[in-house]
Amino acid sequence: MTLTDIQKQIVRTEGNLVVSASAGTGKTFAMVQKIVKEITENRTHKVIAAITFTVKAANEIKERLSLDTFLHFIGTNNSFAIEEIIKPFMKDVYGSDFDIDMSTDYSVKVNTYQEAIDKIKNDGVLCKYSDPKQNFIFDLAQFILENSLACRLYLKSKYFKIYIDEYQDCDISMHKFFMYLCGELQIETFIVGDDKQSIYIWRGAYPEAFKSVMSNPNFICLHMRENHRSCQQIQNYSNLLFEETCEQYIPTEDLGNIVCICHTEANWAKKVVGEIDPNKTSALLRFKHNDVNLGASELTSNGLEYVYIPQPPISDITTNSSWLYLSIAKYIILERYSVYDVISDIPVEGNESRKTVSCVKRSLEKIEDSKHDLPKFHEYVTTLAEYLGYKTRTEHIQKLHDTISDPCFYPAFDKESYQHIAITFHSSKGLEFDQVIIFAEDYSLGDITSLYNHYVAVTRAKTKLIIVYKDSMKAKQYANNLKKILSESNLTARDVMTVK
């Protein structure tokens, strides 16, 4: 790939920078190129932190970087707060009673800050609040940051730049924390996000935080608007959903890239299959797993196999050992997944000197060989976890065993190998497909959350978007609200899509 003009500007712009990047604009590519340039030009002992929301996103950045990142932090929001602030400096603020080993278990929930502090002291467990819109990890990190001079000096002396991806998914506590690093500690900060892609408001995401950075005088603000993923008609439709992007509408004569299929329960799948090019990738996106499964079954029975991607039992595990269960499952399920892949999955906080290939490989082979002997399976998983410095639970090892014992969960670990898949809408974040099928009834378009969700869903599509419309109350809400939205641009649905 070559840099576009706006990407070149992003890479060479110095100082605090915030980038508003619409779907498909190549923001990860631009951020990686900026990281490479700034690490290469750095002439000090300092390093960078590239902070993301998921381990998968962090690994993608590592894979794309063409230089040694061993000394740099590339990981998740929580791992940065825990490994760089809470674990090393909590004792500096709370006393020697907190000079202890800590693990995370987000299935443990408390109501107050003090209850969470007591849980650390008594059990060595970092937990979370019962209220999903509050964030204990970042509340604690903020308190330590403000009350530990050693912590502040450490961060200022270590990092010359912090890069934060998907900022629209930050909650209020995260936003306060990152603005403190930038404003009070004067650590140069790069932020990229898109409030239109904020689909986690229900669990505390605060897109207003991203908007506030966009107007912050301490930041240079740039916009990435050109969608390189979707065709013009799909770009038009997604841009018309929001006042700030509707002026980017460019009329097209051919409206065949978006098809709205009006259907009955009996014939929707047959109509959809008739619109799909079987030689190109496609995805059915629904909100509920049951709808995904039923939809995949009906499409398959109408002549085009769709593979349902389920949620495996280990996806429920929220301790800091969750990566290990996932890696073991991939090692057993995927033929191409090796011991080196497992080792590369070890979180950045791991002590690499203890992770020798031969020992890990022997343990993995024992685990795989014992999958039909549950007591041995438990023993070998526990042994590997202890060797790597992690703790297990009996119920979590059972979830791992349930995952690898049922082939119905295997597609979840290899969805890229299937031509046509059916997944939940939230699972599609960050993915792209030639063709996407959505249901009008899943999007009322009556509030900002539904608009954000719809935007993310439709922008997964590259060349074709199929909207399935059933004459129901929820679908009528979609139609009525879309009519209002399009009328602001003096358009109707038939100006932006083909209705059948």
Side-chain angles (χ1 to χ4, degrees):
M1 292 178 65
T2 57
L3 291 167
T4 63
D5 289 343
I6 184 61
Q7 289 172 335
K8 289 177 182 177
Q9 188 177 357
I10 289 167
V11 170
R12 63 173 176 253
T13 297
E14 299 178 350
N16 297 325
L17 175 63
V18 56
V19 177
S20 175
S22 296
T25 54
K27 53 110 175 161
T28 303
F29 176 66
M31 183 172 74
V32 167
Q33 298 308 307
K34 186 173 182 66
I35 291 172
V36 170
K37 177 180 182 292
E38 293 180 346
I39 288 179
T40 303
E41 294 179 353
N42 176 47
R43 295 294 181 265
T44 73
H45 67 280
K46 295 185 178 183
V47 298
I48 64 100
I51 299 172
T52 70
F53 271 81
T54 65
V55 173
K56 178 184 176 182
N59 287 339
E60 182 181 357
I61 292 174
K62 290 178 186 176
E63 290 167 3
R64 292 195 186 194
L65 287 170
S66 57
L67 41 73
D68 183 9
T69 61
F70 180 73
L71 296 176
H72 304 274
F73 179 95
I74 302 175
T76 64
N77 295 277
N78 276 23
S79 64
F80 182 81
I82 292 169
E83 299 304 323
E84 291 292 86
I85 296 169
I86 295 173
K87 285 185 177 180
F89 296 105
M90 188 167 184
K91 57 183 177 292
D92 194 36
V93 175
Y94 282 93
S96 58
D97 286 346
F98 291 86
D99 188 10
I100 55 177
D101 290 333
M102 299 179 197
S103 62
T104 59
D105 188 349
Y106 300 134
S107 66
V108 177
K109 298 177 183 178
V110 297
N111 294 318
T112 68
Y113 182 86
Q114 189 55 51
E115 285 182 272
I117 295 297
D118 292 341
K119 178 62 67 173
I120 297 172
K121 182 178 180 180
N122 297 329
D123 302 328
V125 172
L126 288 159
C127 59
K128 66 185 300 184
Y129 291 127
S130 299
D131 184 347
K133 294 191 176 183
Q134 294 184 349
N135 192 328
F136 170 68
I137 295 298
F138 276 85
D139 286 349
L140 175 57
Q142 183 72 33
F143 187 81
I144 293 171
L145 194 56
E146 293 177 358
N147 290 277
S148 171
L149 175 61
C151 179
R152 296 194 296 274
L153 291 175
Y154 166 75
L155 293 173
K156 288 184 68 172
S157 65
K158 181 174 181 178
Y159 293 106
F160 74 85
K161 189 73 170 266
I162 293 179
Y163 306 79
I164 309 167
D165 193 14
E166 303 285 5
Y167 202 85
Q168 76 279 352
D169 291 331
C170 282
D171 58 35
I172 294 174
S173 297
M174 289 180 182
H175 175 58
K176 180 180 178 181
F177 174 84
F178 290 129
M179 290 301 99
Y180 189 95
L181 296 183
C182 179
E184 298 298 323
L185 301 191
Q186 297 294 298
I187 301 175
E188 199 170 284
T189 303
F190 171 84
I191 285 171
V192 63
D194 179 16
D195 57 288
K196 302 187 300 300
Q197 297 188 66
S198 185
I199 62 174
Y200 298 113
I201 295 174
W202 57 274
R203 70 179 189 198
Y206 184 62
E208 294 301 320
F210 179 71
K211 293 179 181 179
S212 73
V213 181
M214 295 286 292
S215 59
N216 188 325
N218 293 323
F219 280 79
I220 298 170
C221 179
L222 297 175
H223 296 268
M224 298 178 72
R225 294 192 174 100
E226 187 177 355
N227 183 339
H228 303 286
R229 174 193 301 151
S230 304
C231 67
Q232 186 61 55
Q233 189 189 350
I234 294 173
Q235 289 185 56
N236 282 342
Y237 179 80
S238 62
N239 286 333
L240 287 167
L241 295 173
F242 302 94
E243 183 179 355
E244 63 267 29
T245 55
C246 63
E247 75 279 359
Q248 298 174 48
Y249 170 73
I250 302 174
T252 60
E253 291 185 11
D254 185 1
L255 299 181
N257 297 104
I258 302 179
V259 177
C260 180
I261 292 178
C262 300
H263 75 96
T264 64
E265 288 292 349
N267 68 359
W268 76 266
K270 182 178 180 180
K271 286 188 174 183
V272 167
V273 169
E275 295 288 338
I276 292 291
D277 182 342
N279 298 314
K280 295 181 178 179
T281 62
S282 71
L284 168 67
L285 308 182
R286 296 300 309 265
F287 264 68
K288 298 178 181 178
H289 272 282
N290 187 52
D291 288 336
V292 176
N293 196 7
L294 289 173
S297 177
E298 292 194 45
L299 288 166
T300 300
S301 66
N302 277 273
L304 190 57
E305 183 179 5
Y306 275 76
V307 178
Y308 167 53
I309 308 295
Q311 189 172 18
I314 56 173
S315 63
D316 296 332
I317 302 173
T318 58
T319 66
N320 60 340
S321 301
S322 60
W323 72 271
L324 180 59
Y325 300 113
L326 178 60
S327 289
I328 292 173
K330 288 191 285 189
Y331 179 82
I332 293 174
I333 293 169
L334 303 178
E335 184 176 347
R336 65 180 182 276
Y337 199 82
S338 72
V339 61
Y340 299 101
D341 295 304
V342 174
I343 291 174
S344 70
D345 279 345
I346 296 173
V348 291
E349 65 266 21
N351 178 0
E352 293 296 331
S353 64
R354 296 176 59 197
K355 293 22 174 217
T356 62
V357 173
S358 59
C359 290
V360 174
K361 190 172 190 298
R362 282 197 299 271
S363 291
L364 289 169
E365 289 171 347
K366 288 181 178 179
I367 292 169
E368 184 170 18
D369 291 341
S370 65
K371 60 186 178 183
H372 300 300
D373 184 343
L374 194 55
K376 286 291 185 183
F377 184 83
H378 277 249
E379 177 188 342
Y380 293 142
V381 172
T382 301
T383 299
L384 175 59
E386 289 175 349
Y387 173 73
L388 296 173
Y390 290 85
K391 296 179 180 179
T392 59
R393 287 186 184 176
T394 299
E395 64 268 28
H396 292 167
I397 297 177
Q398 185 62 53
K399 286 179 181 290
L400 171 62
H401 192 264
D402 292 343
T403 298
I404 65 168
S405 298
D406 191 341
C408 82
F409 296 118
Y410 288 12
F413 299 92
D414 197 25
K415 54 181 175 286
E416 294 83 4
S417 66
Y418 298 101
Q419 189 83 342
H420 309 288
I421 65 173
I423 57 176
T424 60
F425 151 74
H426 286 94
S427 300
S428 74
K429 184 73 180 290
L431 303 178
E432 60 181 46
F433 308 91
D434 293 316
Q435 306 159 105
V436 166
I437 308 159
I438 62 174
F439 276 64
E441 63 194 60
D442 287 338
Y443 309 93
S444 72
L445 306 187
D447 54 61
I448 197 64
T449 298
S450 183
L451 282 167
Y452 287 160
N453 291 346
H454 192 56
Y455 176 84
V456 170
V458 301
T459 54
R460 299 311 95 199
K462 295 164 67 175
T463 60
K464 191 154 193 175
L465 173 67
I466 299 173
I467 303 171
V468 181
Y469 183 93
K470 179 178 69 175
D471 190 16
S472 66
M473 183 177 296
K474 290 182 178 180
K476 286 178 180 178
Q477 287 180 330
Y478 160 84
N480 291 334
N481 286 318
L482 180 63
K483 181 179 180 180
K484 293 177 184 177
I485 292 168
L486 295 178
S487 68
E488 296 295 321
S489 300
N490 297 315
L491 297 168
T492 68
R494 292 183 183 275
D495 292 319
V496 295
M497 66 178 71
T498 298
V499 180
K500 294 186 176 181

